Amino acid sequence: MRNLKMTIEYDGTRYKGWQKQKDDILTVQDKIETVLSKMTGEDVQVVGCGRTDSGVHAENYIANFHTESALTVDAMLDYLYEYLPEDIVVKTMKDTGERFHARYNVKSKTYVYTINNNKFRSVFNKKYVYHTNDKLNLDDMKEASKVLVGTHDFQSFTSLKPNTKPTVRTINYINITENQGIIEIHVNGNGFLLNMVRIITGTLLDVGRGKVKITEVETILAEKKKREAGPMAQAKGLCLKDVQY
Amino acid sequence: MRNLKMTIEYDGTRYKGWQKQKDDILTVQDKIETVLSKMTGEDVQVVGCGRTDSGVHAENYIANFHTESALTVDAMLDYLYEYLPEDIVVKTMKDTGERFHARYNVKSKTYVYTINNNKFRSVFNKKYVYHTNDKLNLDDMKEASKVLVGTHDFQSFTSLKPNTKPTVRTINYINITENQGIIEIHVNGNGFLLNMVRIITGTLLDVGRGKVKITEVETILAEKKKREAGPMAQAKGLCLKDVQY
């Protein structure tokens, strides 16, 4: 039995996230499993590195699947390229050890949230960038981000209902950069809860706007419960950039 | 009479270029003139820094127009932002000297042609990048580009019919960069003939593919006539990046 590891790029705009759901719901996993199953004549199950929210993109999503197929990796890549829709591309594939598991073996993941803070939106990249021309204090956002780095219970930063599953995660770093009005928030952590990066981003944006104080971020984190009108940044600005194993 | 200078960004995909043509042909100039005329109640004529081909994009296209309107620049920008289609944004506007002319005063322009040379196209930026997975020899392309730098008769590098207008132009530099399979060809010159950057790019791509030798580029240039099957790179990869005055 072969175990194949894939790097996948997708534009998440029209998908209800990575993870397969009911038959009539469009997901990236479902699209890929359908093509792989047709290609191999097997009922292929793809293991992804994690869920991504509806509308979120990925540059280097990692997944693996098992097959008895004798096709070469190049032949498989070409087949996928031909039969997958234009908004999903399997960029690389390789045979890997039989014990490799795209989800269990994740050490950390890097997400990037992109904000256009110029006066007007750009005609380019509209689908991948959140635009706001609110004045943002980047120094305050950077300062507030430090509160979240480290190992914490992130119950306040997820849409998960309380006590559904463990909510302690470690954020290794949050880097905030700015270039010609384009702000990128890079978040690296060992795992992310439902909507976690978007809620972190929404909170940091509120800090940048002066609506939330840095000390309040500490309070929100300590409270371990979702705020009533917790801000959640739009999905389209978010992209899973890399996965570390 | 005020003279206003604008910086314009547009996604040229659905336009037949910048320059106004017959009424039923979609052009960027026509869209902007229509909105400015409605805004001012005048018959506004916009002077652009030059034509761009059908399907070519612009990041910082420069244009100017005269008006008696007393509206503030910010009010005008907001009006344009509201009434122009999503693929055209006037980014900046300022009152300028009455003699400023967006076309006559151009010193040079910079175009960028973007090529994705990875095995597969990307799901992102499909509309702005030409994809080819042909093996390209970048060193040869750089060497060949040097043949074109300087002041030459570019009759061989335009779709203009011979003897329709002067075809001597100066190319100040051609820089070719590569990063993770994404190749950018930056061309700066004092003026460009019809299709000139696309034919230069198409020729350099043929050099990269080994179809045309560097010495042949010299011959093509010296011949001062368009080759029978002159290669012209796709419009979508081309973007007017900057205009220098």
Side-chain angles (χ1 to χ4, degrees):
Chain A
M1 192 71 135
R2 295 167 75 185
N3 185 10
L4 289 146
K5 178 181 176 185
M6 304 182 277
T7 310
I8 305 161
E9 184 177 275
Y10 56 84
D11 173 335
T13 308
R14 67 188 185 107
Y15 295 98
K16 295 285 173 203
W18 163 265
Q19 181 128 328
K20 197 165 50 174
Q21 301 176 43
K22 281 181 240 147
D23 274 356
D24 56 340
I25 293 180
L26 197 67
T27 67
V28 180
Q29 183 183 13
D30 189 50
K31 283 284 178 198
I32 294 175
E33 285 187 351
T34 301
V35 175
L36 286 176
S37 297
K38 198 184 295 180
M39 181 184 79
T40 58
E42 302 165 358
D43 180 21
V44 174
Q45 310 289 317
V46 174
V47 177
C49 62
R51 301 180 181 207
T52 56
D53 287 357
S54 180
V56 168
H57 318 291
E59 244 185 77
N60 294 295
Y61 188 95
I62 305 293
N64 72 296
F65 68 97
H66 292 88
T67 180
E68 300 284 4
S69 167
L71 283 169
T72 65
V73 157
D74 279 342
M76 289 195 196
L77 283 172
D78 287 343
Y79 189 97
L80 285 160
Y81 192 57
E82 183 164 353
Y83 290 103
L84 280 172
E86 279 213 342
D87 47 15
I88 303 176
V89 172
V90 178
K91 300 197 289 187
T92 69
M93 189 188 287
K94 65 170 187 175
D95 282 279
T96 183
E98 81 182 75
R99 295 182 61 185
F100 176 77
H101 189 284
R103 190 167 72 255
Y104 297 157
N105 296 158
V106 171
K107 284 219 175 67
S108 59
K109 287 181 207 160
T110 311
Y111 278 94
V112 178
Y113 197 97
T114 308
I115 300 153
N116 177 354
N117 194 219
N118 290 311
K119 180 164 185 186
F120 302 123
R121 61 177 156 62
S122 169
V123 302
F124 307 115
N125 299 318
K126 283 194 301 276
K127 289 163 67 187
Y128 316 119
V129 175
Y130 164 70
H131 175 249
T132 175
N133 55 21
D134 291 347
K135 201 173 152 52
L136 298 176
N137 185 323
L138 230 64
D139 289 334
D140 283 354
M141 289 170 68
K142 288 177 186 173
E143 205 56 36
S145 74
K146 291 181 193 164
V147 173
L148 303 174
V149 173
T151 303
H152 305 286
D153 184 335
F154 283 97
Q155 182 65 61
S156 307
F157 290 86
T158 174
S159 305
L160 272 181
K161 288 191 195 111
N163 307 318
T164 45
K165 59 177 188 173
T167 47
V168 173
R169 293 290 184 278
T170 299
I171 293 186
N172 299 311
Y173 63 78
I174 301 179
N175 288 337
I176 304 177
T177 63
E178 190 271 340
N179 182 21
Q180 298 192 307
I182 305 299
I183 298 168
E184 290 186 356
I185 303 179
H186 296 243
V187 185
N188 176 279
N190 70 346
F192 294 94
L193 305 165
L194 180 64
N195 300 144
M196 182 165 150
V197 183
R198 291 168 60 195
I199 295 173
I200 286 174
T201 301
T203 305
L204 292 178
L205 282 169
D206 270 2
V207 169
R209 289 174 175 119
K211 283 203 225 168
V212 168
K213 291 190 190 122
I214 297 168
T215 51
E216 285 179 76
V217 178
E218 290 168 13
T219 312
I220 294 166
L221 183 65
E223 277 176 352
K224 294 175 199 164
K225 63 178 182 194
K226 187 155 183 278
R227 286 188 288 161
E228 296 212 344
M232 181 156 77
Q234 287 177 23
K236 71 172 187 173
L238 187 60
C239 183
L240 174 62
K241 197 85 172 178
D242 281 305
V243 186
Q244 293 83 36
Y245 288 94
Chain B
M1 192 70 136
R2 294 167 74 186
N3 186 10
L4 289 146
K5 178 181 176 185
M6 304 182 278
T7 311
I8 305 161
E9 185 177 273
Y10 56 84
D11 173 334
T13 308
R14 68 189 185 106
Y15 295 97
K16 296 283 174 202
W18 162 265
Q19 181 130 326
K20 197 165 52 176
Q21 300 176 44
K22 281 181 240 145
D23 275 357
D24 55 340
I25 294 181
L26 198 67
T27 67
V28 180
Q29 182 183 14
D30 190 50
K31 283 286 177 196
I32 294 175
E33 286 187 350
T34 302
V35 175
L36 286 176
S37 296
K38 198 184 294 180
M39 181 183 80
T40 58
E42 302 164 358
D43 180 21
V44 173
Q45 310 289 317
V46 173
V47 176
C49 60
R51 301 180 180 204
T52 56
D53 286 357
S54 181
V56 168
H57 317 290
E59 244 184 78
N60 294 293
Y61 188 96
I62 305 293
N64 72 294
F65 68 98
H66 292 86
T67 179
E68 300 284 4
S69 167
L71 283 169
T72 65
V73 156
D74 280 341
M76 288 194 196
L77 284 172
D78 288 342
Y79 189 97
L80 286 159
Y81 192 59
E82 183 163 354
Y83 290 103
L84 280 172
E86 279 213 342
D87 46 15
I88 304 174
V89 172
V90 178
K91 300 198 288 187
T92 69
M93 190 188 287
K94 65 172 187 173
D95 282 280
T96 183
E98 79 182 77
R99 296 183 60 187
F100 176 77
H101 189 285
R103 190 166 71 256
Y104 297 158
N105 296 160
V106 170
K107 283 219 177 69
S108 59
K109 287 182 206 160
T110 311
Y111 277 94
V112 179
Y113 197 96
T114 308
I115 300 153
N116 177 354
N117 195 216
N118 290 310
K119 180 165 186 187
F120 302 122
R121 62 178 156 64
S122 169
V123 302
F124 307 115
N125 299 318
K126 284 194 300 276
K127 289 162 68 188
Y128 316 119
V129 175
Y130 163 70
H131 175 250
T132 176
N133 55 21
D134 292 347
K135 200 172 154 52
L136 297 175
N137 185 323
L138 230 64
D139 289 334
D140 283 355
M141 290 169 68
K142 287 178 187 173
E143 205 55 36
S145 73
K146 290 181 193 164
V147 173
L148 305 173
V149 173
T151 303
H152 304 285
D153 184 335
F154 283 97
Q155 183 65 61
S156 308
F157 290 86
T158 174
S159 305
L160 271 181
K161 288 191 194 110
N163 306 316
T164 46
K165 59 177 188 173
T167 47
V168 173
R169 293 290 184 277
T170 300
I171 293 186
N172 299 310
Y173 63 78
I174 301 179
N175 288 337
I176 303 178
T177 64
E178 191 273 339
N179 183 20
Q180 297 191 308
I182 305 299
I183 298 168
E184 289 185 358
I185 303 180
H186 296 243
V187 185
N188 176 278
N190 71 345
F192 293 93
L193 304 164
L194 181 63
N195 301 145
M196 182 167 150
V197 183
R198 292 168 60 195
I199 294 173
I200 286 174
T201 301
T203 304
L204 293 178
L205 282 168
D206 271 2
V207 169
R209 290 175 175 118
K211 283 201 226 170
V212 168
K213 292 191 189 121
I214 297 168
T215 50
E216 285 179 76
V217 178
E218 290 169 13
T219 312
I220 294 166
L221 183 64
E223 276 175 353
K224 293 176 198 162
K225 63 177 181 195
K226 187 154 182 278
R227 285 188 290 161
E228 294 210 347
M232 180 156 78
Q234 286 177 21
K236 70 173 188 175
L238 186 60
C239 183
L240 174 63
K241 198 84 173 180
D242 281 304
V243 186
Q244 293 83 36
Y245 288 95

